[in-house]
Amino acid sequence: MSIKIKQKNFKPLIAPLFLLASGFMFGQKTVNDTVKDKTKDIEEVVVIGYGKVKKSDLTGSVSSVSAKELAATPAMNALQALQGRAAGLNIVTAGGAPGAGANVTVRGGSSITQSSDPLYIVDGFQLDNALNVINPNDIESIDVLKGASAIAIYGARGSNGIIVIKTKSGKKGRTVINYNTFMSFDMLSKKLDMVSNSEQFVKYQYELAQLQGKTTQWSNVFDNSLGTDTPGFYTGAYSRIANRYGSAYSLDWQERMLGGTGVTQNHNVNVSTGNDKTQAFISYNYNKQDGLLQNYSETRNSLRANINSELYKGIRVDFNTMFTNNSVNGGGSYSGMKKILLQPINGGTLFTEDQLFNTQTFPDYSALDSGFDTENPYIETQASTSNKRTRTFVANAGIEFDFLKNFTWRTAGQYSWTNAKSTSFSDQNSRAFLTDPVNTGINGSIANAESFRYQITNTLNYNKTFGEKHKVNALIGNEIWYEESEGNSMRLTKFPYPNFGLDDIANATVADKNTDRSSNSLLSYFARVNYNYDNRYLITGTFRADGSSKFAEGSRWGYFPSVAGAWRVSQENFWKDHKINNFFNDFKLRVEYGATGNNGVSNNLWRTNVLLTDYPINNTVGYPVYVTSTNWGNPSLQWEELRTTNVGVDVAFFNNRIKLTSEWYNNNVSKMLLESVLPVSTGYSRQYQNIGSMRNRGMEFTLNTVNLKSENFRWTTDLNISFNKSRVLSLENGQQNKTFSVGGSRTGMVTYYATVGQELGDMYGYVYQGVYTTDDFTQNPDGSLTLNPGVVKPATGTPKPGDMKFAADNEAGDQFTRKMQKIGNGTPDFIGGISNNFSYKGFDLAVFMKFSVGNDIYNATKQSLSPYAMFQNVPSEFGDNYYHLIDPNTGQATTNLVRLKELNPNESSSLWSLSNTNTTNIAYPSSYYVEDGSYLRISQVTLGYSFPKDFLNKVMLSNARIYFTVNNLATITGYSGYDPEVSAASGVTVTPGYDSSTYPRSRSYVLGLNLTF
């Protein structure tokens, strides 16, 4: 359910909803009045780079999510479980399709054109895309490292933030077997409001045909091919439409394509065992998700095992291995929502309802109107299929030993291997075949990619307490990291038969083929010192040196220091002895500053590559030659650098019943790795250079409260909220802006600007001001129209009533000249999540909500649904309110201002007419398609019951819980699209909030069971 609000400004609504949801305002009174005993706080441990510390000793900025929080979220992957639960972490999924990817940024990212993906560290080792790869049931904790003190220890790889994942391991004691399972039933959460009445649809088609000179084509489909020269053809058109289509069928394409139920099943079993010397853990997970669309699904199998053992006193070894096999049908995304929504709801006299749904109608409709570009989606999803299978194997091992009492040496290594195969196949019913049966025909593609990497890390740790108050922990180490990948692909055409699919490639034509191979390495040295005086004064200093093969000799090394300090004011005697201690249990100030780097560019950009190509001689091909690429290598290319400052305050009130963490940060990126356009005189077109700078600045708040606590009842609240503002400080050679165009003319296109002095995410286009009305014109005696003085003139030609009107952009302020202006920004003012957890005896209830406020969405889906071709449907917003130019009495267009006023009584609020001029205008990027994307989503509600111990003893279980969950229960938003949480364009840092035919997010009803033997 999507609850649409009409308020342009969403912010006034958000604040009271937060207070109502959290109960924080009345939580304080509850603490004082109902709870007599003090709450004993369990010391939390946070995983940081190459180690872990008590949270009370932490000097850096870290957000943590525990296994308990993740376990409360039945999810396909950890990405879904983590959304909205950590301050400063923004996860925006690309859509609701099974296997859909996501854009993950920490504190806004740190680059304009390069990847802003954070570094993932799993059990001490880098693992790309870890939140999609790791079974969420295997995760013990997730720590998001954000400040300089936390990320600088990872140097070059830490500039986009670091997500550290610690997986579960075996425990001492008896063997424990856990079995967790859930089954989810997924349904479409919202349908877009399209024209659904056949009479209205056919009248709309008649007006479109009349204005585009395609009345004969209209008649061939909707009027039984009645000739236009037939007496009364025009004057009787509307009555014939009413008689024939007044009670005719209207095919609901959304219901037929997406109205079913997708089923997800998840099974996870793990075994933990161990004694004083050795502990072992093994787990297996199976997850199968069927999408709402046919042939869209994801299947995942993963197996993981680890063992930890103390061989001798002071000598420990560990071994961890994981294998994942993931198969996604449909490619993990679907760009065909436009094709579902635009389908005709009635086939007229050309197709019956059954034929309209079960026939590939594209050839018939496109033959009548070449602009018709929407093939039958039901047939297409069967005719064109795709699959991506990814296999990942990871193994790591380590040995450490204690010596000289205070020293620990550790050597650890990891090897990981990934193989991916992508295939696609389109048979004779596909659009690809129908549009080009000779050259393309039945076609397909195959792509294989394989990569491996290894990492070897050596560390020496020194830990000693001098006297009783001086604690020193020092770490030095070095690391070697190497990665190599290769891939090949080929596109195949002209399969003679579809029967054998890609197994028949020997008889197909190879249209093109590609191969690729690359490698890169990193050599690092690092050190860290932690000093703790009397648990009051904490200082951390780190230094890392990274050498990357992505840069040339002389530019390969980057040096990244940081320093951080913390003062636990609440440990001072003047605090402990004061009454304030009865109110403040903990008060800590933190400050940190440091530098990290980024080498996230392609390999070998420092040198000019040589390409093999074909040079024809005497019009004869086949003469191979080597030429330089159009990109000029830059041997001076070096590290992009991030300098970050973070100030934090940690406080706890009322015997630790209320905890608040506040952060302020300032991240400055310089020497950015940007592709620069070169003068033609150089002979090259582009070169990567270290140019430009940007800044991210913001604040974060994390609040944890125990609102009520008694013997049988407990209510807690967790709230996080993050504010971030980016600013472009400089670009190349005094350039003021850099543009990034997204989409196409018929799929919805907008241009994003990165402008010096402005924040990222600015959308540029034309400012829509409604339509020209009859009041804008004077009718001359000969019937022609003259635009009144003071009315904005269009870019070209003479306007008519019903034409789209755009704001003047020339100096005189009287004409639209197609000058781009800012029309929105896709970056939110703030984001966050709020969780309320209740427990009463054996029952538990969890309500989780997430929100985003202040961001715009460019609704390219709405733009692509604007009328531009015959026989296609339109949204009700347009079909109920477009400007009418056809007089029903005559059946033909009128230019008489009096009659147009009668046909359009609310013309100032009407949308544009179906004139040919507007067919061009709708392709312009326009403020009409920009909408407020703010939302508050009730993301998950879970009600569970844990069986009592008496019952468990009888059935020989140590724990048993059943639960029911609803995901995506309701969304309060002003956005008219399927879902305000969208990221259809890659590069979410620069192009956020772009929605184009995104696969809709479903509502899920989940039944689950947790058993422990």
Side-chain angles (χ1 to χ4, degrees):
M1 177 173 59
S2 182
I3 304 170
K4 188 175 180 181
I5 59 173
K6 295 183 178 180
Q7 291 167 266
K8 179 68 176 177
N9 190 345
F10 191 76
K11 297 176 188 177
L13 183 64
I14 267 297
L17 286 169
F18 287 162
L19 298 179
L20 178 64
S22 68
F24 171 63
M25 295 304 291
F26 48 84
Q28 177 178 328
K29 186 175 187 299
T30 302
V31 170
N32 289 334
D33 292 349
T34 64
V35 181
K36 303 292 185 182
D37 60 317
K38 291 187 176 182
T39 301
K40 188 174 182 179
D41 205 27
I42 299 174
E43 185 71 80
E44 296 179 67
V45 174
V46 176
V47 179
I48 59 174
Y50 308 99
K52 56 187 178 181
V53 297
K54 293 187 297 183
K55 191 168 186 178
S56 60
D57 293 341
L58 192 65
T59 57
S61 176
V62 179
S63 293
S64 299
V65 181
S66 67
K68 183 178 180 181
E69 292 176 88
L70 294 172
T73 306
M76 279 285 289
N77 54 54
L79 271 173
Q80 297 174 5
L82 194 57
Q83 278 185 300
R85 296 183 184 271
L89 179 65
N90 191 19
I91 301 175
V92 183
T93 54
N103 286 291
V104 183
T105 54
V106 177
R107 291 184 169 178
S110 65
S111 188
I112 291 180
T113 59
Q114 304 308 311
S115 171
S116 287
D117 291 340
L119 172 69
Y120 297 97
I121 300 294
V122 180
D123 295 328
F125 298 95
Q126 181 177 340
L127 181 63
D128 290 346
N129 201 23
L131 292 177
N132 258 327
V133 174
I134 297 290
N135 171 18
N137 295 277
D138 288 345
I139 296 176
E140 182 72 33
S141 65
I142 296 178
D143 295 295
V144 183
L145 313 185
K146 300 172 291 185
S149 176
I151 64 177
I153 192 67
Y154 285 104
R157 297 175 294 166
S159 61
N160 287 320
I162 302 166
I163 296 180
V164 179
I165 300 173
K166 182 180 182 301
T167 61
K168 295 176 181 177
S169 58
K171 306 296 182 183
K172 298 177 184 178
R174 69 179 184 87
T175 299
V176 176
I177 301 174
N178 291 292
Y179 173 67
N180 303 313
T181 184
F182 67 80
M183 181 167 285
S184 172
F185 303 91
D186 305 330
M187 302 175 186
L188 185 64
S189 60
K190 176 184 178 180
K191 291 188 352 183
L192 296 191
D193 192 9
M194 306 294 291
V195 170
S196 58
N197 178 276
S198 286
E199 181 180 353
Q200 180 188 8
F201 172 70
V202 178
K203 285 181 178 178
Y204 156 79
Q205 290 292 328
Y206 177 81
E207 181 154 349
L208 181 63
Q210 275 284 82
L211 295 171
Q212 293 193 355
K214 298 176 181 177
T215 310
T216 299
Q217 292 91 319
W218 174 88
S219 178
N220 289 339
V221 175
F222 296 110
D223 208 5
N224 209 22
S225 299
L226 185 66
T228 57
D229 57 352
T230 303
F233 177 86
Y234 296 104
T235 56
Y238 277 68
S239 62
R240 292 197 306 275
I241 292 172
N243 292 333
R244 178 171 288 155
Y245 297 100
S247 58
Y249 73 86
S250 298
L251 184 56
D252 187 341
W253 282 93
Q254 292 180 87
E255 181 65 28
R256 296 290 290 270
M257 292 295 297
L258 299 163
T261 300
V263 178
T264 298
Q265 54 177 315
N266 179 286
H267 302 277
N268 187 86
V269 60
N270 63 63
V271 180
S272 173
T273 188
N275 53 35
D276 290 340
K277 291 289 186 180
T278 302
Q279 301 86 43
F281 181 89
I282 186 170
S283 72
Y284 169 74
N285 178 254
Y286 170 82
N287 204 319
K288 172 69 183 295
Q289 179 184 15
D290 291 323
L292 300 179
L293 279 172
Q294 62 176 342
N295 294 327
Y296 279 75
S297 65
E298 180 182 16
T299 304
R300 181 193 302 268
N301 286 272
S302 64
L303 180 66
R304 181 176 166 272
N306 68 41
I307 186 169
N308 300 279
S309 182
E310 185 176 26
L311 297 180
Y312 303 97
K313 185 177 180 180
I315 301 178
R316 297 170 296 278
V317 296
D318 55 85
F319 177 77
N320 195 336
T321 186
M322 179 194 72
F323 176 77
T324 299
N325 183 34
N326 192 50
S327 179
V328 177
N329 290 316
S333 64
Y334 179 66
S335 60
M337 289 308 305
K338 163 190 168 182
K339 299 169 185 177
I340 293 176
L341 298 168
L342 284 177
Q343 288 302 305
I345 62 174
N346 189 291
T349 56
L350 192 63
F351 297 109
T352 66
E353 181 177 11
D354 182 69
Q355 290 171 333
L356 187 62
F357 185 73
N358 291 292
T359 303
Q360 181 56 283
T361 55
F362 174 72
D364 300 87
Y365 284 128
S366 60
L368 293 167
D369 184 353
S370 59
F372 187 91
D373 60 354
T374 52
E375 63 275 10
N376 184 317
Y378 177 68
I379 302 300
E380 189 68 23
T381 52
Q382 300 175 79
S384 297
T385 58
S386 65
N387 173 268
K388 182 176 181 179
R389 184 190 67 208
T390 305
R391 294 171 175 169
T392 302
F393 172 76
V394 179
N396 56 62
I399 181 170
E400 63 181 31
F401 58 93
D402 305 326
F403 64 98
L404 298 179
K405 190 177 180 179
N406 302 115
F407 291 89
T408 299
W409 174 270
R410 176 174 173 81
T411 295
Q414 181 193 68
Y415 175 85
S416 65
W417 167 86
T418 299
N419 175 267
K421 181 178 182 179
S422 300
T423 60
S424 68
F425 188 77
S426 298
D427 66 22
Q428 73 279 6
N429 292 313
S430 68
R431 176 177 176 171
F433 176 90
L434 295 171
T435 53
D436 189 1
V438 176
N439 297 315
T440 301
I442 301 170
N443 63 94
S445 67
I446 302 175
N448 290 284
E450 185 174 20
S451 65
F452 75 88
R453 66 170 53 149
Y454 64 79
Q455 176 181 331
I456 300 173
T457 305
N458 299 291
T459 58
L460 176 63
N461 193 286
Y462 173 77
N463 197 350
K464 185 174 176 59
T465 300
F466 297 90
E468 296 182 355
K469 296 183 178 181
H470 302 274
K471 298 178 183 178
V472 176
N473 177 268
L475 170 79
I476 61 171
N478 87 298
E479 194 166 74
I480 299 171
W481 185 87
Y482 177 82
E483 178 183 47
E484 186 174 311
S485 63
E486 61 181 355
N488 56 74
S489 63
M490 58 180 174
R491 186 169 62 89
L492 304 154
T493 60
K494 302 180 185 178
F495 282 85
Y497 308 104
N499 307 60
F500 302 103
L502 292 174
D503 292 335
D504 195 26
I505 62 173
N507 294 313
T509 299
V510 179
D512 58 61
K513 53 188 176 181
N514 293 286
T515 60
D516 179 63
R517 182 174 180 177
S518 65
S519 64
N520 77 91
S521 58
L522 197 69
L523 175 62
S524 308
Y525 301 92
F526 52 89
R528 178 177 60 214
V529 176
N530 292 317
Y531 172 70
N532 180 332
Y533 174 73
D534 197 25
N535 291 323
R536 288 184 287 164
Y537 310 114
L538 311 169
I539 298 176
T540 301
T542 67
F543 180 81
R544 180 161 178 139
D546 283 321
S548 173
S549 65
K550 291 187 176 182
F551 304 118
E553 290 284 352
S555 302
R556 287 184 172 173
W557 286 93
Y559 304 97
F560 310 109
S562 79
V563 62
W567 179 24
R568 296 191 66 191
V569 184
S570 56
Q571 294 295 348
E572 297 287 356
N573 290 331
F574 68 80
W575 187 283
K576 292 180 181 180
D577 297 336
H578 197 274
K579 291 181 180 179
I580 197 173
N581 192 43
N582 296 327
F583 177 73
F584 279 99
N585 306 111
D586 190 30
F587 185 77
K588 183 168 72 171
L589 300 174
R590 295 178 283 106
V591 62
E592 53 187 312
Y593 176 81
T596 60
N598 183 13
N599 67 337
V601 292
S602 301
N603 300 325
N604 301 318
L605 293 176
W606 59 273
R607 59 187 178 189
T608 304
N609 292 323
V610 177
L611 306 175
L612 176 64
T613 187
D614 187 87
Y615 186 79
I617 298 177
N618 296 326
N619 295 322
T620 302
V621 298
Y623 295 90
V625 295
Y626 289 95
V627 297
T628 58
S629 68
T630 57
N631 280 23
W632 190 12
N634 182 2
S636 299
L637 200 66
Q638 58 181 287
W639 297 91
E640 188 174 273
E641 188 174 276
L642 167 70
R643 294 189 176 274
T644 179
T645 303
N646 192 94
V647 178
V649 180
D650 304 319
V651 294
F653 309 88
F654 305 115
N655 299 319
N656 294 318
R657 298 294 293 271
I658 300 175
K659 296 180 179 180
L660 175 66
T661 295
S662 304
E663 309 269 3
W664 175 87
Y665 63 88
N666 186 64
N667 295 343
N668 284 293
V669 186
S670 60
K671 296 187 286 188
M672 297 178 68
L673 295 164
L674 297 178
E675 193 175 36
S676 176
V677 178
L678 298 177
V680 177
S681 58
T682 64
Y684 298 89
S685 61
R686 296 178 181 274
Q687 182 187 56
Y688 268 91
Q689 299 176 1
N690 291 103
I691 48 177
S693 59
M694 65 171 287
R695 181 187 73 202
N696 275 300
R697 180 179 290 173
M699 297 189 71
E700 299 166 357
F701 301 92
T702 301
L703 175 68
N704 311 106
T705 67
V706 180
N707 303 316
L708 285 170
K709 181 180 178 183
S710 64
E711 183 178 354
N712 294 319
F713 182 75
R714 182 179 177 91
W715 172 24
T716 64
T717 298
D718 301 307
L719 167 69
N720 73 83
I721 185 169
S722 305
F723 301 80
N724 180 78
K725 282 295 180 184
S726 61
R727 184 177 293 274
V728 180
L729 302 178
S730 64
L731 292 170
E732 60 176 295
N733 302 323
Q735 183 183 27
Q736 287 302 301
N737 56 63
K738 197 174 183 67
T739 60
F740 306 85
S741 295
V742 182
S745 61
R746 292 307 184 197
T747 58
M749 180 174 67
V750 68
T751 300
Y752 287 82
Y753 274 50
T755 305
V756 174
Q758 302 296 320
E759 64 179 319
L760 293 175
D762 281 345
M763 305 168 181
Y764 272 68
Y766 309 132
V767 178
Y768 174 74
Q769 291 190 326
V771 299
Y772 289 95
T773 68
T774 55
D775 295 333
D776 293 328
F777 299 88
T778 297
Q779 189 135 38
N780 302 314
D782 62 355
S784 62
L785 302 177
T786 300
L787 192 66
N788 292 333
V791 180
V792 176
K793 292 177 285 187
T796 58
T798 302
K800 302 179 296 297
D803 284 357
M804 297 177 76
K805 183 193 292 184
F806 297 99
D809 52 26
N810 63 336
E811 290 186 7
D814 62 353
Q815 185 171 9
F816 167 60
T817 64
R818 297 182 191 167
K819 180 181 179 181
M820 288 281 191
Q821 301 182 60
K822 182 178 176 178
I823 56 176
N825 184 280
T827 304
D829 292 336
F830 60 91
I831 60 171
I834 181 169
S835 176
N836 281 285
N837 298 278
F838 307 85
S839 62
Y840 177 71
K841 294 186 177 180
F843 291 93
D844 60 87
L845 173 66
V847 180
F848 175 66
M849 298 181 288
K850 57 183 177 179
F851 52 87
S852 176
V853 177
N855 56 296
D856 293 317
I857 296 176
Y858 191 83
N859 193 344
T861 303
K862 179 190 286 189
Q863 186 174 9
S864 70
L865 298 179
S866 298
Y868 61 86
M870 288 285 296
F871 315 118
Q872 296 176 339
N873 200 10
V874 289
S876 297
E877 177 183 350
F878 183 85
D880 294 340
N881 198 36
Y882 68 91
Y883 197 97
H884 296 278
L885 298 178
I886 301 297
D887 187 342
N889 295 332
T890 64
Q892 294 183 319
T894 179
T895 58
N896 183 277
L897 294 182
V898 175
R899 183 56 176 151
L900 287 173
K901 184 74 171 178
E902 293 173 351
L903 294 173
N904 303 279
N906 300 312
E907 59 177 337
S908 61
S909 60
S910 295
L911 298 179
W912 53 91
S913 72
L914 299 171
S915 68
N916 282 324
T917 298
N918 287 330
T919 301
T920 300
N921 288 342
I922 61 173
Y924 293 158
S926 163
S927 61
Y928 174 77
Y929 306 115
V930 177
E931 302 183 38
D932 184 359
S934 303
Y935 70 88
L936 173 65
R937 187 196 304 281
I938 305 177
S939 185
Q940 187 174 82
V941 178
T942 297
L943 176 63
Y945 176 72
S946 298
F947 290 91
K949 289 186 178 181
D950 291 344
F951 171 78
L952 297 175
N953 292 334
K954 293 178 182 179
V955 295
M956 294 183 292
L957 291 172
S958 59
N959 180 66
R961 175 177 175 266
I962 58 173
Y963 63 89
F964 174 69
T965 296
V966 181
N967 291 318
N968 192 20
L969 177 61
T971 303
I972 301 172
T973 183
Y975 182 56
S976 66
Y978 275 117
D979 197 289
E981 185 185 334
V982 290
S983 176
S986 60
V988 70
T989 303
V990 184
T991 58
Y994 178 77
D995 182 9
S996 178
S997 286
T998 305
Y999 190 110
R1001 198 179 312 276
S1002 61
R1003 177 174 297 110
S1004 303
Y1005 301 91
V1006 184
L1007 288 172
L1009 174 66
N1010 308 131
L1011 298 175
T1012 302
F1013 298 90

